[in-house]
Amino acid sequence: MEANTLEKQHTEQDFMPINGTDYVELYVGNSLQAAHYYKTAFGFQSLAHAGLATGLKDRESYVVVQDKIRLVLTSPLKSGTTIGKHIDQHGDGVKVVALWVEDATQAYNTAMEKGARSYQEPITEEDTNGKVVRAGIYTYGETVHMFVERKDYNGTFLPGFTKWETPDYNPAPTGLKYVDHMVGNVGWNKMNHWVNFYEQVMGFKNILSFDDNDISTEYTALMSKVMSNGNGRIKFPINEPAEGKKKSQVEEYLDFYEGEGVQHIAVATDDIIKTVRDLRSRGVEFLRVPDTYYDVVTDRVGEIDEDIAPLKELGILVDRDDEGYLLQIFTKPVEPRPTMFFEIIQRKGAQSFGKGNFKALFEAIEREQELRGTLH
Ligand code: FE2
């Protein structure tokens, strides 16, 4: 892929500049315990809190951080709330993918002019540390993009949140750095609708496409298109199920999430062997490919810096493209429903998404589906 040319093109036409991912908010059944899980298992640190103690009546949010990744974990405090309904329908899942921009009002107005559906008009929130402007639009399913303008703010997280301090319990980080990409699963024949949405409303470009010939096994198939913003800091692959002999993982997701939503959050590390060994020791469970994957991996990807032995021990996958290679691994779903999971990725030049691993990986997922009784 001619990344430099693409990036130049994007920058020239970029009507919606985005600095990066600001935060990801999950609606969950028990935000206090979820925060404990992300600290204990993934090495996030306590950052901020909002709830009864800060004057909120309907919700309790805990914010955890690791390098540039901020997760907001939110639960309702009473029945009948929109948060509670979201959790009832979807189970725990991502509600907000927040994007850090210089001018949230302008980003929102531009998106609305280009046909977005409003979630929240621009609101300015202030405290003694300054002000933040936020506005939101809907994307697929009930998922929302919030535009966050924080150039006039130097507080911990957002106005309304207090610093969350836990002096007695702060497990060490695991080397997770930033959100590399976030994948959405959309319904049958809906991929191109959402590709058009990201192109026309958000100014993104379709940088890679995979059809069911690229992503299929004997039993299941899916299609995927990768959308990237102008500077390449935001990458949103969009998956759609495809016809196979049996139910694909995307279809299984749509059934259990009861709609479209975020399938996985890919987080980057500089040392995947160390990170994955650490995560495993803390109880994070990963998908496994058969050991035979490693018999031919060097033939497929050529020489790499890492020894194959620890990759095989930990189940880390390797793929190569024109620009370099990448190492990646996928967790099992992190909630009872087989819906959202995490990817850990280390890029060594490669800007792609591991196409060479799709088949081995999807066969691993099918084995999990078989165990769940959902592969039929
Ligand atoms: Fe991914």
Side-chain angles (χ1 to χ4, degrees):
M1 186 179 60
E2 294 160 311
N4 292 339
T5 320
L6 270 176
E7 188 160 320
K8 189 151 167 269
Q9 258 177 11
H10 290 186
T11 313
E12 283 164 6
Q13 301 164 2
D14 197 356
F15 61 76
M16 191 171 290
I18 301 170
N19 296 331
T21 308
D22 195 284
Y23 63 87
V24 179
E25 181 168 21
L26 295 97
Y27 283 176
V28 298
N30 187 330
S31 58
L32 180 60
Q33 290 186 4
H36 190 279
Y37 170 75
Y38 284 106
K39 287 173 61 176
T40 303
F42 284 84
F44 282 82
Q45 307 296 305
S46 306
L47 180 68
H49 169 254
L52 290 173
T54 64
L56 293 181
K57 297 282 185 272
D58 67 334
R59 69 181 67 192
E60 199 80 19
S61 295
Y62 292 87
V63 188
V64 293
V65 65
Q66 188 162 184
D67 203 329
K68 293 189 170 62
I69 312 163
R70 283 191 287 240
L71 299 182
V72 182
L73 303 153
T74 298
S75 295
L77 286 171
K78 58 183 183 179
S79 62
T81 65
T82 54
I83 303 165
K85 286 174 187 163
H86 196 277
I87 296 165
D88 183 44
Q89 182 177 347
H90 304 296
D92 288 5
V94 172
K95 175 62 180 180
V96 178
V97 179
L99 303 169
W100 173 32
V101 298
E102 289 302 304
D103 187 335
T105 306
Q106 190 188 355
Y108 173 85
N109 288 340
T110 302
M112 291 304 292
E113 280 163 23
K114 292 174 180 290
R117 185 158 69 95
S118 179
Y119 172 72
Q120 180 192 295
E121 291 185 358
I123 293 177
T124 303
E125 294 157 302
E126 284 182 70
D127 66 15
T128 53
N129 296 299
K131 63 170 187 173
V132 172
V133 185
R134 288 191 300 158
I137 60 168
Y138 278 99
T139 176
Y140 47 77
E142 290 197 90
T143 318
V144 164
H145 288 312
M146 291 289 280
F147 301 112
V148 182
E149 171 188 328
R150 51 170 70 254
K151 60 178 182 285
D152 299 320
Y153 193 67
N154 60 13
T156 304
F157 177 54
L158 291 173
F161 283 77
T162 54
K163 196 163 170 50
W164 181 33
E165 288 178 299
T166 52
D168 295 330
Y169 190 65
N170 299 294
T174 59
L176 305 177
K177 298 280 199 193
Y178 58 89
V179 175
D180 184 277
H181 61 275
M182 289 184 67
V183 178
N185 280 344
V186 302
W188 293 94
N189 304 313
K190 284 290 164 57
M191 184 173 66
N192 286 332
H193 170 86
W194 291 108
V195 165
N196 290 338
F197 166 85
Y198 279 106
E199 282 177 351
Q200 287 160 25
V201 174
M202 307 278 291
F204 283 41
K205 291 282 187 291
N206 176 207
I207 57 166
L208 282 171
S209 297
F210 307 100
D211 64 19
D212 43 346
N213 295 317
D214 297 312
I215 316 183
S216 68
T217 66
E218 185 185 349
Y219 297 121
T220 67
L222 65 86
M223 297 184 283
S224 189
K225 289 189 177 180
V226 181
M227 306 308 294
S228 172
N229 82 316
N231 58 22
R233 290 182 202 171
I234 307 292
K235 293 188 210 77
F236 292 147
I238 311 281
N239 292 336
E240 174 187 322
E243 287 292 349
K245 283 188 202 157
K246 298 187 176 182
K247 183 184 283 186
S248 89
Q249 50 168 312
V250 178
E251 204 177 348
E252 182 193 37
Y253 175 102
L254 296 169
D255 286 353
F256 277 93
Y257 198 71
E258 297 187 21
E260 303 177 332
V262 170
Q263 180 211 38
H264 72 266
I265 305 174
V267 289
T269 171
D270 289 339
D271 187 345
I272 196 167
I273 293 173
K274 190 164 182 288
T275 294
V276 171
R277 182 164 280 137
D278 201 356
L279 292 170
R280 279 170 55 127
S281 77
R282 293 159 178 245
V284 177
E285 292 190 79
F286 293 93
L287 287 177
R288 291 296 304 219
V289 295
D291 283 354
T292 50
Y293 172 94
Y294 297 93
D295 298 344
V296 294
V297 72
T298 315
D299 295 339
R300 187 165 60 77
V301 301
E303 283 300 310
I304 57 171
D305 301 338
E306 294 74 15
D307 292 332
I308 299 300
L311 302 181
K312 182 175 176 178
E313 173 208 336
L314 299 167
I316 295 165
L317 309 175
V318 195
D319 196 27
R320 184 178 283 281
D321 64 21
D322 295 345
E323 297 173 275
Y325 68 97
L326 61 82
L327 303 139
Q328 64 185 165
I329 190 168
F330 299 83
T331 73
K332 293 182 179 178
V334 293
E335 56 286 305
R337 301 189 197 190
T339 51
M340 194 200 77
F341 56 89
F342 283 83
E343 172 182 352
I344 315 299
I345 185 167
Q346 182 178 5
R347 294 189 181 277
K348 301 194 107 174
Q351 294 303 310
S352 51
F353 297 85
K355 178 181 167 183
N357 291 321
F358 288 172
K359 194 169 192 299
L361 192 61
F362 296 150
E363 285 169 350
I365 293 171
E366 285 169 11
R367 285 192 295 278
E368 295 285 319
Q369 287 181 275
E370 189 74 66
L371 292 173
R372 290 193 282 265
T374 59
L375 186 72
H376 40 245

